[in-house]
Amino acid sequence: MRALVYHGPGQRAWEEVRDPEIIDEGDVIVRVDATTICGTDLHILAGDVPEVRPGRILGHEAVGTVDEVGDDIHRLSPGDRVLVSCISACGTCRFCREGRYGQCAEGGGGWVLGRSIDGTQAEYVRVPYADTSTYRIPDGARDEEILMLADILPTGYEVGVLAGGVRPGDVVAVVGAGPVGLSAITCARLFSPSHVVAIDLSDERLKKAREFGADVTVNDATEDAAAVIRDLTGRLGADVAIEAVGTAATFELAVKLVRPGGRIANIGVHGKPAMLHLEDQWARDITITTGLVDASSTPTLMRLAATGQLDAGRFVTHRFAMDDFEQAYDVFGDAASNGALKVVLTRQEDEADE
Amino acid sequence: MRALVYHGPGQRAWEEVRDPEIIDEGDVIVRVDATTICGTDLHILAGDVPEVRPGRILGHEAVGTVDEVGDDIHRLSPGDRVLVSCISACGTCRFCREGRYGQCAEGGGGWVLGRSIDGTQAEYVRVPYADTSTYRIPDGARDEEILMLADILPTGYEVGVLAGGVRPGDVVAVVGAGPVGLSAITCARLFSPSHVVAIDLSDERLKKAREFGADVTVNDATEDAAAVIRDLTGRLGADVAIEAVGTAATFELAVKLVRPGGRIANIGVHGKPAMLHLEDQWARDITITTGLVDASSTPTLMRLAATGQLDAGRFVTHRFAMDDFEQAYDVFGDAASNGALKVVLTRQEDEADE
Amino acid sequence: MRALVYHGPGQRAWEEVRDPEIIDEGDVIVRVDATTICGTDLHILAGDVPEVRPGRILGHEAVGTVDEVGDDIHRLSPGDRVLVSCISACGTCRFCREGRYGQCAEGGGGWVLGRSIDGTQAEYVRVPYADTSTYRIPDGARDEEILMLADILPTGYEVGVLAGGVRPGDVVAVVGAGPVGLSAITCARLFSPSHVVAIDLSDERLKKAREFGADVTVNDATEDAAAVIRDLTGRLGADVAIEAVGTAATFELAVKLVRPGGRIANIGVHGKPAMLHLEDQWARDITITTGLVDASSTPTLMRLAATGQLDAGRFVTHRFAMDDFEQAYDVFGDAASNGALKVVLTRQEDEADE
Amino acid sequence: MRALVYHGPGQRAWEEVRDPEIIDEGDVIVRVDATTICGTDLHILAGDVPEVRPGRILGHEAVGTVDEVGDDIHRLSPGDRVLVSCISACGTCRFCREGRYGQCAEGGGGWVLGRSIDGTQAEYVRVPYADTSTYRIPDGARDEEILMLADILPTGYEVGVLAGGVRPGDVVAVVGAGPVGLSAITCARLFSPSHVVAIDLSDERLKKAREFGADVTVNDATEDAAAVIRDLTGRLGADVAIEAVGTAATFELAVKLVRPGGRIANIGVHGKPAMLHLEDQWARDITITTGLVDASSTPTLMRLAATGQLDAGRFVTHRFAMDDFEQAYDVFGDAASNGALKVVLTRQEDEADE
């Protein structure tokens, strides 16, 4: 089969590789019908994630069709159409039994696809712990919408909106209007906040933020986000701030924006520490959360997508055939110029019939 | 009357002052039967709390007898024995209506006694918003036990144990075994954790910690707290860490001690920022809380003290007559040498009859 | 002034009465600008609420203008436009301090207006505990929309939707599509359920239910609600059922509709016991709640109405001048024939200038 | 091997049967080292549980040693000492993924042992879904203490105390002081209630209740439980009532005992409906829960037993060798006369060596 292989910093190729095989009896082999590229993949390519070794097939998001099942598999059969989650959950460890699949403590659980085992940017992928790591796709759902539920939507929903405890009537500040920030904005809307304030340095992204449900936008390069929030809240501060960038500056801004009793939900992937101004915050009853997506909300989000309450499809800005994978990386790698949010790569039907 | 007056950094005197009077109709005048000194009072005397102006009577904890009531008072009558809480709650602002009395947003609410208005280290004290800021003392309760409910016990319970979400079977690390840390230890026990680990630099304080309910103690000067916790938890980490010191180092230690999914409850009063190692923590599902005591738990703690489930009295290490207030400050100011936790100052009966 | 006076079962009159006066210093006198009739008022007129004595002015909902304030009032001044809540909250009892204003244990708290003291169906009304029982109206808000926040909207939101724990993606069954059921439907939408199923015996009301946000309707006279829910949920049952009628049969239906682990929130006012089929339910992990509105959500609902997330105005089907109060009762008393949901009675401007 | 076989109402025998074998690859065969009899077994013998067919081996609680493992088993090896939970959890269905193992919706999950498949009252037992339905026993733990964690302790803890939301300082009424009620009493103590009130018709059982942690006891035959609770709570009512009998009368009493805002947690197994007095309760903000044990708390309870916070062993009143199983049934079947709480049956060492 063909797959997108990482060959060390800056080097990747869509090339012929060996087909995956069942290793553990809880595995399934999934034929990939649609996959996508995550910002994390760019970090890997930049060499920032050293545990990913050259030779690794990248990717941790897919929609596909079950091709082969291991002997332990009870919930899936060949031919089933499934969402492959970015998180593999053994289902039996302490964390899985609490629904914290992202913390799965077993060998082989948590975020492993496209990291410590071969991933989804391929014609076929081996999915471990498949009974608890894939989700049956409802009839009539569109592949590319469901694909958005593999990572970006549960991340915004769980790590941003649920951890942030968004409630009806809240003022929610979302710092960063890239794909993850947009996911947080659109998922926050599910709880009917009175205002969602998007904060970013790019007017382009802020325009997107409005389309995704922000009703106030602040370009932090030229405007004072804290002042905007203060005006909106009678000088009180936001009920919830969601950090969706991953820098010390944006985290510190998020902390600064909330009211006494407010919550800061960090989604951003950080490479460096941030300053926590406890001298200002120790008495203010704030709550800060961090987290990795568990994808425990996937069934809920599927229902919401199916009934049209969640417009998952609007993240998709570019579509490619899998054979154009390298071009897709080029486009996504320069998202700012291309206005790219999520690119979708689909299997070509004629290939399937070969 | 006589009172303990702050005269600027390093200067205090027990001296004759004017009796307090009702100013607002929600005030009561309380005759102070017992009061105590808080670590915060030492900070004020050190000049670290500049909003406290010379001339201020210090103190924010008292047990006393209602002497006079304003026209708005519905729940109190002269002669009632009451606990004067460290927090004055207007009862009508947004925060008070959520039970967040410590954040009371009205003029005159929150921590005001001994700070922006005259306090309890006096023979009489004016208590604002008294209907919602004092608590009737059950018959038969001992003054000095109830006095511990004015600040130190609700602080450990609310800001440490409740915010930390301590549950039966948890491993709870308490960083700092001063009076506030001991309060957190003793209150954590109410939820039957499997282990309470006390961490401090003083063997004396750690000995106290054992008396108050810690079953493991770690002298951080010579032992590796993280290693002790790892051994105790199968390398996982503590379920909850409570910071009860107020320095960057102790906060950073507390963060380091918790397991994925764990909680860090900060009680300490911080003068400087701390580093939050988001590069280690962003994916670990941790929750960090800060807070000022609300004293919303006072009725609960009174019931627990009354039924003997909470041994409030054991905080009291030294007792003085009020006329010896300056000596009491000397003893408490050198707590380490004197083994002092809380000092209690009581009105002399014969004075009352004058 | 004139007021709607209850003269015993079946008897009421819009007549001249004495103006109200401040009795307690926490009272205000409010000039009523708009008021409405509640289903409970019809129950009183039917003689079903014997604690309401002849001579009582009815009504517990109003929007008005503060005319006079007692000496204890801190948050209101003459001329302020306020919502008068159906619940009077002393603000200092145990229940008020937990936000359970409906259970206010003080003399004079809870639901008292138009019941144990004179109510709002009058040109002026005395409002006790006014600092904690009225809400300032935001500029630009329309009286008749805000009036819906006095009782019907917080009832559906608090006792139905919040107690029922509605979550995104839930299937919510609402039994009863009268005004309170419609309130539950519209408030459930704030949490983005996947489906709201309205169940009633009247096609007229079910049509209204669709307008208010139900996406499935079941006429219980001819259709099998349980079967509809089973089909919709893969035979599992509803996540939440909200009872909004107040009969044994509708309560028992609500219990029957939920899935294992589901919740039943009772809003209905019951005059008789219901059967709880514990032989079917003991092992099914269900939760049943009852409750009286607290109106603690009023500030939240005001924000939602102000930003257009909650269309409060659509409850208003009929409008009258206050002098036509008796006619309004006739129309509301025969709601089925008249398609009446809420009738609004407004003060005539020229009268105000007299 | 030998096993206790049900032969229809009133008939049982300890007799020779075929050894169990692995059927599904998630099974293990456990050699039973200790087992016990549950009140439910008596109901089965009385013919009250018709789905249990003659020929079935009874029992759903065991401590034992893994003898053989299916190919899907990842967490267990022959020789491991395990607790066999009363609940078999597939680990992959919707309910298992929420931790509601008792509701396990798969074929073969939930309470199946000794009901729809052969149970633990035997020398060997086949345990399905064993990775998620057994718990490794900590070194040094005593078999008969751990055995109490198979059903009775998690039932009292989860369905009674956690569902009832017991909090420090609460007044908790436990209706019924049989083994399950005693479990609720002892588990309630983990949360430091101010009072646990036990209510029963037997002075013998009430004496036991005191030993297990009740500080007030009421013999309902001669005393008025409601009056006792009113006196204890300033006429308010209990914070939590736990029903641990399973009759309409005891359920209705439990509902009557709670304060406004209180919770009623039903543990009792009911064969008939109860009356819910909504005409009294509709406005009182009560919460009623039902539930089947999930055994999700087993790891927590193991830690508590290991550290001595939970005295699991005191339930054991009688001990038998397995060959005396029929005598054990006689004793347990007449628990009132024999003062029996839990009887433990243990494998004889010499048999094991055969």
Side-chain angles (χ1 to χ4, degrees), chain A residues 38 40 49 60 68 79 90 127 203 247 270 311:
Chain A
C38 178
T40 311
V49 190
H60 49 266
E68 193 187 342
C90 79
V127 180
D203 285 334
T247 68
H270 291 259
D311 181 354

Side-chain angles (χ1 to χ4, degrees), chain B residues 251-321:
Chain B
F251 177 81
E252 291 163 24
L253 175 61
V255 172
K256 214 170 71 178
L257 294 178
V258 300
R259 66 169 172 86
R263 298 179 68 93
I264 301 100
N266 183 81
I267 315 180
V269 177
H270 291 259
K272 293 182 183 159
M275 210 64 116
L276 181 59
H277 287 284
L278 285 169
E279 76 280 18
D280 299 327
Q281 300 293 341
W282 70 268
R284 290 185 83 239
D285 290 14
I286 63 167
T287 301
I288 298 170
T289 58
T290 71
L292 190 67
V293 66
D294 297 313
S296 56
S297 66
T298 303
T300 296
L301 297 174
M302 275 199 183
R303 280 198 299 280
L304 291 167
T307 56
Q309 325 238 7
L310 193 63
D311 181 355
R314 66 180 161 189
F315 285 92
V316 182
T317 53
H318 296 74
R319 293 169 184 82
F320 298 89

Side-chain angles (χ1 to χ4, degrees), chain D residues 213-288:
Chain D
D215 33 30
V216 180
T217 55
V218 181
N219 188 319
D220 208 23
T222 55
E223 295 169 276
D224 178 350
V228 171
I229 297 278
R230 277 199 304 270
D231 288 351
L232 198 62
T233 58
R235 312 198 64 74
L236 195 65
D239 299 287
V240 180
I242 297 176
E243 203 280 349
V245 181
T247 68
T250 47
F251 178 79
E252 290 163 24
L253 176 60
V255 173
K256 214 170 72 177
L257 294 178
V258 301
R259 65 168 172 85
R263 297 178 69 93
I264 301 101
N266 182 82
I267 315 180
V269 177
H270 291 258
K272 293 184 183 153
M275 209 66 115
L276 182 59
H277 287 284
L278 286 168
E279 76 280 18
D280 299 328
Q281 299 293 341
W282 71 268
R284 289 184 83 239
D285 290 17
I286 63 167
T287 300
I288 297 170

Side-chain angles (χ1 to χ4, degrees), chain C residues 56-342:
Chain C
R56 175 69 59 233
I57 298 172
L58 297 182
H60 49 266
E61 301 160 88
V63 160
T65 306
V66 174
D67 190 64
E68 194 188 342
V69 303
D71 287 346
D72 290 16
I73 294 295
H74 295 277
R75 307 181 72 80
L76 298 167
S77 305
D80 286 348
R81 294 184 63 240
V82 293
L83 170 67
V84 178
S85 173
C86 62
I87 297 294
S88 300
C90 80
T92 60
C93 73
R94 169 190 175 141
F95 290 106
C96 283
R97 299 198 76 172
E98 291 177 357
R100 289 198 189 273
Y101 310 126
Q103 307 294 334
C104 174
E106 295 299 294
W111 170 37
V112 293
L113 286 170
R115 185 180 175 221
S116 52
I117 66 174
D118 282 336
T120 57
Q121 294 175 359
E123 292 182 294
Y124 289 86
V125 60
R126 177 180 73 92
V127 180
Y129 302 120
D131 266 346
T132 41
S133 308
T134 63
Y135 297 88
R136 205 76 69 78
I137 296 177
D139 290 343
R142 291 179 54 216
D143 279 10
E144 72 176 35
E145 293 189 5
I146 295 297
L147 183 60
M148 298 300 112
L149 273 59
D151 183 343
I152 194 162
L153 276 167
T155 295
Y157 186 63
E158 297 171 10
V159 188
V161 174
L162 294 186
V166 175
R167 304 269 306 159
D170 277 357
V171 172
V172 180
V174 178
V175 184
V180 171
L182 296 173
S183 168
I185 290 167
T186 209
C187 291
R189 278 280 162 229
L190 295 169
F191 287 91
S192 306
S194 74
H195 295 89
V196 176
V197 182
I199 301 161
D200 201 296
L201 296 165
S202 150
D203 285 334
E204 277 307 302
R205 283 200 292 260
L206 290 170
K207 201 178 139 212
K208 277 283 175 198
R210 282 196 175 272
E211 291 168 30
F212 276 73
D215 32 32
V216 180
T217 55
V218 180
N219 188 319
D220 207 24
T222 55
E223 296 170 276
D224 178 349
V228 171
I229 297 278
R230 277 199 305 271
D231 288 351
L232 197 62
T233 58
R235 312 199 64 74
L236 195 64
D239 298 288
V240 181
I242 297 177
E243 203 279 350
V245 180
T247 68
T250 48
F251 178 80
E252 291 163 25
L253 176 61
V255 172
K256 213 169 72 177
L257 294 178
V258 300
R259 65 168 173 85
R263 298 178 68 93
I264 302 101
N266 183 81
I267 315 180
V269 177
H270 291 258
K272 293 183 182 156
M275 210 65 116
L276 182 58
H277 287 284
L278 285 169
E279 76 280 19
D280 299 328
Q281 299 293 342
W282 71 267
R284 289 185 84 239
D285 289 16
I286 63 167
T287 301
I288 298 169
T289 58
T290 71
L292 190 68
V293 66
D294 297 314
S296 56
S297 66
T298 303
T300 296
L301 297 175
M302 275 200 182
R303 279 198 300 279
L304 291 167
T307 55
Q309 325 239 6
L310 193 63
D311 181 355
R314 64 179 161 190
F315 285 93
V316 182
T317 53
H318 295 74
R319 294 171 183 81
F320 298 89
M322 277 196 199
D323 279 343
D324 299 323
F325 224 120
E326 302 201 33
Q327 186 193 345
Y329 259 95
D330 291 340
V331 166
F332 185 68
D334 189 11
S337 307
N338 296 306
L341 293 177
K342 291 294 277 183

Side-chain angles (χ1 to χ4, degrees), chain A residues 217-292:
Chain A
T217 54
V218 180
N219 188 320
D220 207 25
T222 55
E223 295 169 276
D224 178 350
V228 171
I229 297 278
R230 276 199 306 269
D231 288 352
L232 197 62
T233 58
R235 312 198 64 74
L236 195 64
D239 298 287
V240 181
I242 297 177
E243 202 279 350
V245 181
T247 68
T250 48
F251 177 80
E252 291 163 24
L253 175 61
V255 172
K256 213 170 72 177
L257 293 178
V258 300
R259 65 169 172 85
R263 298 179 68 94
I264 301 101
N266 183 81
I267 315 181
V269 176
H270 291 259
K272 293 183 183 157
M275 211 65 117
L276 182 59
H277 287 283
L278 285 169
E279 76 280 19
D280 299 328
Q281 299 293 342
W282 70 267
R284 289 185 85 240
D285 290 15
I286 63 167
T287 300
I288 298 169
T289 58
T290 71
L292 190 67

